[in-house]
Amino acid sequence: MSGDGALGMLINRKADICIGAMYSWYEDYTYLDLSMYLVRSGITCLVPAPLRLTSWYLPLEPFKETLWAAILLCLCAEATGLVLAFKSEQALYVLPSYREGWWTCISFGVCTTFKLFISQSGNSKAYSLTVRVLLFACFLNDLIITSIYGGGLASILTIPSLDEAADTVPRLRFHRLQWAANSEAWVSAIRASDEALVKDILYNFHIYSDDELLRLAQDQHVRIGFTVERLPFGHFAIGNYLGSQAIDQLVIMKDDIYFQYTVAFVPRLWPLLDKLNTLIYSWHSSGFDKYWEYRVVADNLNLKIQQQVQETMTGSKDIGPVPLGMSNFAGFIIVWILGSAIATLTFLLELALTYILKEMI
């Protein structure tokens, strides 16, 4: 109320009307009069674009959980069939003094099943036609499974999987994304909200100067959201601190954090308010509001940036071809390290058992 600001000038009768990005704020209504609404103004955010997923569970992604369970059940059935067939073969074709016990049969069935599953050959000799046919059936079954798995894995590496972007209000809270603006006016309309969702996202809201926002937007990897105004006819009011390079790393949120209708403020009991409201009504009815939005955007805003932002509304942001690196094979490396560690421990255990048995003999 110093008289230097727009609303203060109305209080001190230095101006008759104030039009800008001002909403129907109750605190100001106690001192000033409001016109009918001018435009719908939606407050939303440009948030960091989703990143490519590179995780340890990449080898498991080609199949869903239910399919992995079905494959495990199929392998158990194969192993059970091979154990019973090998045991029957021992009873029918091998002399009693040379027959193997149940432990050897189980070892044969389990090891052969997993060897076939990873396309490795076995070293056991089959005597009966039953075991041979069963081995051939298991080989064909595992060949089909591994072929499908290889095709699914190739598609995942070719078409990258992207992380979830904080492009909705619930996701903005879930990801605890820091978002910022250059004025408290961007969130003053929701400061008094009692909703837990609004309180949580306001906790991560920060106010920076334009220079600080420019520095944050020029980072190599943008990790903060920037407030923008969604205009009623498909355009966005974007600060000058967001350049084309920063927009390439951002996507627009699918919904608004909140919206209100902008109004014109006038002094209390201003005699021309009714005529102003009639003019605004005629302005809406004639379609001039749409015309002027397009005209002002064309004259004052960067059309390239407008197009960049609108392209992010069509879906996931295209990050383009990305060369494969070691991070894409982290899952396979972990499996290899785990397998090598288990094999090493098993080898050491076998050496220890052999040494103990020799000492006992």
Side-chain angles (χ1 to χ4, degrees):
M1 303 304 174
S2 63
D4 297 329
L7 298 180
M9 294 178 69
L10 292 179
I11 293 291
N12 294 327
R13 298 289 179 170
K14 296 179 181 179
D16 289 327
I17 184 171
C18 175
I19 298 176
M22 299 178 182
Y23 304 142
S24 52
W25 295 314
Y26 173 77
E27 293 80 3
D28 299 305
Y29 175 68
T30 58
Y31 299 97
L32 301 168
D33 277 338
L34 312 180
S35 71
M36 72 171 295
Y37 87 94
L38 297 175
V39 295
R40 178 193 182 277
S41 175
I43 303 303
T44 185
C45 266
L46 280 166
V47 298
L51 300 177
R52 183 169 182 167
L53 287 177
T54 55
S55 56
W56 64 270
Y57 55 88
L58 181 65
L60 303 177
E61 287 189 357
F63 294 154
K64 294 183 178 180
E65 293 83 356
T66 53
L67 186 53
W68 277 116
I71 291 174
L72 183 61
L73 183 62
C74 179
L75 293 178
C76 291
E78 289 182 7
T80 303
L82 287 173
V83 169
L84 295 177
F86 188 73
K87 184 62 177 177
S88 301
E89 182 185 70
Q90 295 292 312
L92 296 175
Y93 295 95
V94 180
L95 295 175
S97 58
Y98 295 99
R99 290 175 185 175
E100 302 290 349
W102 276 104
W103 175 252
T104 304
C105 296
I106 293 174
S107 177
F108 166 80
V110 174
C111 294
T112 303
T113 298
F114 282 98
K115 283 181 178 180
L116 292 175
F117 184 67
I118 60 176
S119 302
Q120 299 295 315
S121 61
N123 55 358
S124 300
K125 185 177 181 180
Y127 297 97
S128 65
L129 182 62
T130 302
V131 176
R132 293 174 181 175
V133 172
L134 188 57
L135 286 173
F136 179 71
C138 293
F139 172 74
L140 289 181
N141 184 49
D142 294 337
L143 181 63
I144 294 173
I145 293 175
T146 53
S147 299
I148 297 174
Y149 176 83
L153 183 61
S155 65
I156 290 175
L157 293 175
T158 305
I159 304 175
S161 299
L162 300 179
D163 196 3
E164 182 182 71
D167 54 0
T168 63
V169 178
R171 291 178 181 175
L172 186 65
R173 177 177 65 170
F174 176 77
H175 290 278
R176 298 179 180 178
L177 180 69
Q178 305 293 316
W179 55 295
N182 56 0
S183 171
E184 173 67 18
W186 287 91
V187 296
S188 60
I190 58 174
R191 277 297 186 189
S193 176
D194 294 330
E195 295 185 26
L197 176 62
V198 176
K199 289 182 177 180
D200 289 342
I201 62 174
L202 283 177
Y203 181 78
N204 296 316
F205 175 76
H206 303 279
I207 299 176
Y208 298 111
S209 66
D210 285 357
D211 293 337
E212 291 174 321
L213 291 173
L214 177 61
R215 178 181 57 80
L216 292 171
Q218 289 178 340
D219 288 345
Q220 185 176 2
H221 299 290
V222 179
R223 293 292 181 267
I224 191 173
F226 299 90
T227 54
V228 297
E229 182 182 8
R230 192 192 302 268
L231 303 178
F233 298 105
H235 299 95
F236 299 90
I238 303 173
N240 295 328
Y241 44 80
L242 289 178
S244 179
Q245 182 179 359
I247 299 295
D248 284 337
Q249 303 182 55
L250 302 170
V251 295
I252 193 69
M253 289 180 62
K254 297 179 180 178
D255 51 7
D256 296 334
I257 298 176
Y258 73 97
F259 76 91
Q260 282 196 343
Y261 291 98
T262 61
V263 296
F265 282 99
V266 297
R268 184 72 76 186
L269 301 178
W270 191 53
L272 299 179
L273 180 58
D274 290 338
K275 292 186 177 181
L276 174 63
N277 287 336
T278 301
L279 175 63
I280 295 173
Y281 179 78
S282 301
W283 180 67
H284 283 302
S285 302
S286 62
F288 273 118
D289 50 354
K290 183 175 182 179
Y291 167 77
W292 276 110
E293 178 179 321
Y294 276 81
R295 177 67 179 273
V296 170
V297 169
D299 291 344
N300 299 280
L301 298 181
N302 190 319
L303 296 181
K304 180 181 178 181
I305 290 181
Q306 291 289 319
Q307 184 178 4
Q308 281 182 278
V309 174
Q310 291 175 4
E311 286 176 353
T312 66
M313 300 173 61
T314 59
S316 299
K317 195 175 184 69
D318 183 12
I319 62 175
V322 178
L324 299 180
M326 291 303 298
S327 59
N328 298 101
F329 300 95
F332 300 100
I333 294 175
I334 292 175
V335 172
W336 175 74
I337 293 175
L338 183 61
S340 300
I342 294 175
T344 302
L345 292 176
T346 304
F347 176 68
L348 295 176
L349 181 61
E350 289 178 348
L351 290 179
L353 290 176
T354 303
Y355 178 78
I356 293 173
L357 291 175
K358 287 183 179 181
E359 290 294 328
M360 293 176 61
I361 294 174

